[in-house]
């Protein structure tokens, strides 16, 4: 009985993926149209949306991160592995953040890809590669992101030479990063460390094998075998364990529902303005900080 229910659950998941793939293809033109309107007419749109972000995102933004988002111009989500209604993994996403010139970093575009992967032990989820940020004077991650990128580059170089993971663990880049992570309270890490998220070390080839075996189980081509799909511990060099949670929140909540979050921000600011006009009408300065969302000014 239980194996039948488990099989049905996996089949339902497959149907949901088909629906997600088709929904993405059907709506992406409208999201492109929305982006055009925002860019042309509402420059404060995305800072206001971030200010009303869902809890999964808001709780990860540190006070020192807040001013950076006032320079945010656009967010885009692409399910880059989808090719048509029948092909491509729809849970893989690319997040793109466009910024105006600002005092924190040189990059005008920050882009991060997440690949959906599965392993034979039952785990499935998103994996990624560290993305560097070209900081100007103050690194909001306090060097953590740079260390993750340096280790990633070293790993690729050593793997290219045929060296094993145990060899990588002997490097000072590895031990320095592990030590730094151990000394850093996770709840104090900048949200920009998100760009250093890697997740589990599951290759595309390993994932393909796991998916094929799962497909055979679903189609009754392979004897049923119970798999432990419990939580899998992240590597000790992971600098941002909330990376998958944040990526999903951006892709499946904040981005598609952005107009609703912007409307909430406008309603909140209108209410705040009405209250301020009663108590501070004589002291108000027309146009003061007009481009900065109200609650962001309060949080600074």
């Amino acid at each position: 009985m239980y194996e039948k229910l488990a099989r049905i659950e996996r089949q339902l998941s497959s149907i949901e993926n088909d629906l997600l793939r088709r929904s993405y293809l059907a709506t992406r033109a409208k999201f492109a149209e929305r982006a055009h309107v925002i860019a042309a007419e509402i420059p404060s749109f995305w800072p206001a949306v971030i200010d009303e972000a869902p809890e999964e995102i808001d709780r990860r933004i540190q006070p020192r991160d807040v001013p950076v988002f006032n320079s945010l111009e656009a967010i885009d989500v692409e399910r880059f592995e989808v090719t048509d209604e029948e092909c491509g993994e729809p849970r893989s996403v690319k997040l793109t953040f466009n910024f105006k010139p600002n005092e924190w970093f040189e990059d005008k575009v920050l882009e991060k890809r997440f690949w959906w992967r599965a392993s034979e032990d039952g785990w499935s989820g998103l994996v990624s590669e560290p993305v560097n940020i070209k900081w100007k004077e103050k690194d909001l991650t306090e060097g953590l992101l740079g260390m993750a990128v340096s280790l990633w580059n070293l790993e690729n170089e050593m793997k290219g030479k045929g060296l094993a993971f145990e060899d990588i663990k002997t490097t000072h880049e590895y031990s320095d990063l592990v030590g730094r992570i151990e000394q850093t309270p996770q709840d104090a890490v900048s949200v920009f460390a998100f760009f250093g998220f890697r997740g589990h070390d599951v290759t595309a080839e390993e994932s393909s094998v796991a998916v094929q075996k799962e497909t055979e189980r679903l189609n009754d081509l392979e004897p049923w075998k119970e798999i432990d799909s419990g939580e899998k511990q992240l590597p000790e060099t992971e600098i941002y364990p909330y990376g998958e949670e944040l990526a999903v929140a951006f892709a499946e909540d904040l981005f598609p529902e952005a107009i609703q979050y912007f409307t909430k921000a406008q309603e909140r600011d209108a209410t705040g303005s009405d209250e301020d006009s009663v108590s501070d009408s004589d002291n108000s300065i027309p146009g003061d900080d007009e481009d900065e969302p109200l609650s962001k000014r309060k949080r600074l």
Side-chain angles (χ1 to χ4, degrees), residues 107 129-135 138-155 172-174 176-178 180-181 189-190 192-198 237 239-240:
D107 309 88
E129 300 174 356
V131 175
N132 194 34
I133 295 178
K134 299 176 183 176
W135 301 102
K138 183 173 178 57
D139 177 351
L140 295 177
T141 72
E142 299 178 339
L144 200 57
L145 177 58
M147 294 174 73
V149 171
S150 294
L151 178 61
W152 170 258
N153 291 337
L154 178 63
E155 285 184 32
H172 75 84
E173 286 87 352
Y174 187 97
D176 288 351
L177 181 56
V178 171
R180 182 65 176 276
I181 291 170
V189 174
S190 166
F192 288 94
F194 165 72
F195 290 94
F197 170 77
R198 292 176 56 172
T237 52
I239 70 167
Y240 204 74

Side-chain angles (χ1 to χ4, degrees), residues 195-216:
F195 290 94
F197 170 77
R198 292 176 56 172
H200 296 291
D201 187 16
V202 179
T203 67
E205 293 75 17
E206 291 169 341
S207 182
S208 179
V209 170
V211 169
Q212 179 59 37
K213 289 189 175 182
E214 176 67 4
T215 301
E216 292 173 354

Side-chain angles (χ1 to χ4, degrees), residues 13 56 59 65 74 76 95 101 110 123 158 160 196 202 221 227 229 235 240 250 258 273 279 282 287 292:
S13 178
E56 293 87 350
R59 67 187 175 196
D65 300 326
D76 187 45
L95 303 180
L110 295 177
W123 175 86
M158 294 180 70
V202 179
L221 298 178
I227 292 179
S229 57
Y240 204 74
F250 272 115
S273 297
S279 59
D282 293 337
E292 188 174 2

